[in-house]
Amino acid sequence: MTGEKNVAQGGAASRLGVRDRLLTLWIFLAMAAGITLGAVAPGVADALNSVAVGTTNVPLAVCMMLMLYPPLAKVRYSELPRVFRNGRALALMLLFCAVVGPLLMFTLATTLLGDHPDYMTGLILIGIAPCIAMVIVWNGLAGGDAEYCAGFVAVNAILQVLLYGPLAWLYATRLTALVDAPVVAVSLSVGDVAGTVLFYLGIPFAAGALGRLALERAKGRDWYEGVFLPRVSPVSFVALLATIVLMFSLKGRQIVQLPLDAVRIAVPLVIYFAVMFFASFAAARAAGFPYPQTSSIAFTAAGNNFELAIAVAVATFGLGSGEAFAAVVGPLIEVPSLILLVNAATAMRRGLSWPVLGEGER
């Protein structure tokens, strides 16, 4: 059974690997398509903004929730007890995801983008959202522990529903004042951001958890993971590209006029990925964890939930805001950066000595 499971996971990783290596190209093409659309038909922004309910843009809301559903549907929520039993692994992951990561991104954003409060705030929104999607891909490619990664994802998803709103308010409106960073012009209250998180993350989270429970009971786990998940997984990829096309259609003129802005946003992101990955990897190895668990901790720490950051930036600051622009640059930088880190992880797996996984840790 274990061998079959590993073969299945290896096959899935291979299929995902091809798609994810091409994802950078597809993101570039989606950006180019959006920029072209915005430049050729500037009225598209007005048309998109007109399809709204209150402050929520309907097409983007649909795309963003579709991005989040497949990764949340993949989580094995029954593995949560296993994660909680290993308190050291959980504590180390939470230290980097909930404390080190937000503080590091806050420091990079206020230091390197203090003259652009909108981009600075966009990065802060990214830093407080640990990854709950692509981390599963990177961890699988690097040969990490799939169950631990799924458990970490489930924990982070729950914490984001509960804490993202208060953390966004704290970092974006309170801590910036303490370091004399520019004050965000748009009010970012706890209630507003929490409502956005519950809407964009709570709905797909509930759909993923309850859908898995219902379908596994009706069809069994083999059918759910072998038939259903492969069918719905591409939805997240397509929805991500659609979101980028929609958003960059509104930013076409700005990108043409300010091509270096994306580079400025990319610099702190690359630093963040590298520092978070290598620091958490070193800490996990020093704590005595075997490679599979070390990899899961490191990739969970390094990745971010860009879908949620985009959703919050759009809903809170507006579709054409600099905050949204900074958030949407994130996936473009994450894909090549994390692919390089996958190669680094596999090299360290071969080149370093590792403890054997004990029976009680399986």
Side-chain angles (χ1 to χ4, degrees):
M1 182 65 180
T2 302
E4 294 175 355
K5 178 181 176 182
N6 290 337
V7 170
Q9 289 176 345
S14 299
R15 293 194 297 272
L16 286 170
V18 173
R19 188 185 73 183
D20 290 318
R21 289 186 178 92
L22 293 177
L23 181 57
T24 301
L25 172 62
W26 285 113
I27 289 177
F28 270 115
L29 293 176
M31 290 170 61
I35 293 170
T36 303
L37 181 62
V40 173
V44 69
D46 294 332
L48 287 172
N49 281 324
S50 66
V51 187
V53 176
T55 59
T56 300
N57 183 273
V58 175
L60 278 176
V62 172
C63 286
M64 290 174 186
M65 284 190 283
L66 288 175
M67 278 193 295
L68 290 172
Y69 171 71
L72 290 171
K74 293 177 183 178
V75 174
R76 292 181 176 179
Y77 296 91
S78 61
E79 295 294 335
L80 275 175
R82 181 184 177 215
V83 177
F84 282 118
R85 283 197 298 270
N86 193 332
R88 291 193 308 128
L90 181 62
L92 186 59
M93 181 277 293
L94 289 175
L95 173 65
F96 277 92
C97 288
V99 180
V100 178
L103 287 174
L104 175 60
M105 188 69 87
F106 176 83
T107 301
L108 291 170
T110 55
T111 302
L112 300 179
L113 291 172
D115 59 332
H116 276 282
D118 49 355
Y119 298 161
M120 178 192 74
T121 304
L123 287 190
I124 290 174
L125 293 177
I126 292 171
I128 60 176
C131 186
I132 61 170
M134 291 297 288
V135 60
I136 296 174
V137 175
W138 311 130
N139 181 71
L141 291 173
D145 189 301
E147 281 68 40
Y148 265 77
C149 185
F152 291 157
V153 165
V155 171
N156 278 328
I158 293 171
L159 291 180
Q160 282 178 47
V161 172
L162 298 176
L163 299 179
Y164 188 88
L167 287 177
W169 173 80
L170 174 65
Y171 278 93
T173 67
R174 287 292 181 262
L175 295 187
T176 49
L178 294 180
V179 297
D180 294 325
V183 178
V184 179
V186 180
S187 176
L188 193 62
S189 70
V190 175
D192 290 341
V193 179
T196 300
V197 173
L198 288 173
F199 180 75
Y200 284 102
L201 181 58
I203 292 175
F205 182 87
L210 297 177
R212 171 180 273 275
L213 178 63
L215 290 175
E216 280 193 353
R217 285 183 176 179
K219 295 284 191 175
R221 173 170 287 190
D222 290 341
W223 177 89
Y224 183 83
E225 296 187 347
V227 178
F228 178 74
L229 288 182
R231 290 178 180 174
V232 300
S233 291
V235 172
S236 184
F237 170 74
V238 174
L240 172 62
L241 296 183
T243 301
I244 291 174
V245 171
L246 289 173
M247 295 191 66
F248 273 81
S249 68
L250 306 176
K251 310 296 291 184
R253 291 183 178 179
Q254 179 181 345
I255 295 170
V256 171
Q257 295 171 356
L258 302 170
L260 295 180
D261 281 26
V263 176
R264 288 202 60 189
I265 295 169
V267 170
L269 285 171
V270 171
I271 296 173
Y272 175 89
F273 293 139
V275 172
M276 287 293 290
F277 176 81
F278 287 109
S280 58
F281 194 98
R285 184 170 184 270
F289 290 110
Y291 173 81
Q293 295 176 13
T294 296
S295 177
S296 298
I297 292 171
F299 282 104
T300 303
N304 290 94
N305 186 353
F306 290 100
E307 295 87 352
L308 178 57
I310 292 170
V312 172
V314 170
T316 306
F317 297 97
L319 196 58
S321 66
E323 289 84 357
F325 178 70
V328 83
V329 169
L332 174 66
I333 308 304
E334 182 188 43
V335 173
S337 298
L338 270 294
I339 286 176
L340 290 175
L341 293 177
V342 167
N343 294 330
T346 54
M348 288 188 287
R349 181 181 192 177
R350 294 190 300 266
L352 300 175
S353 60
W354 295 95
V356 178
L357 190 66
E359 185 64 31
E361 297 175 300
R362 295 181 187 277

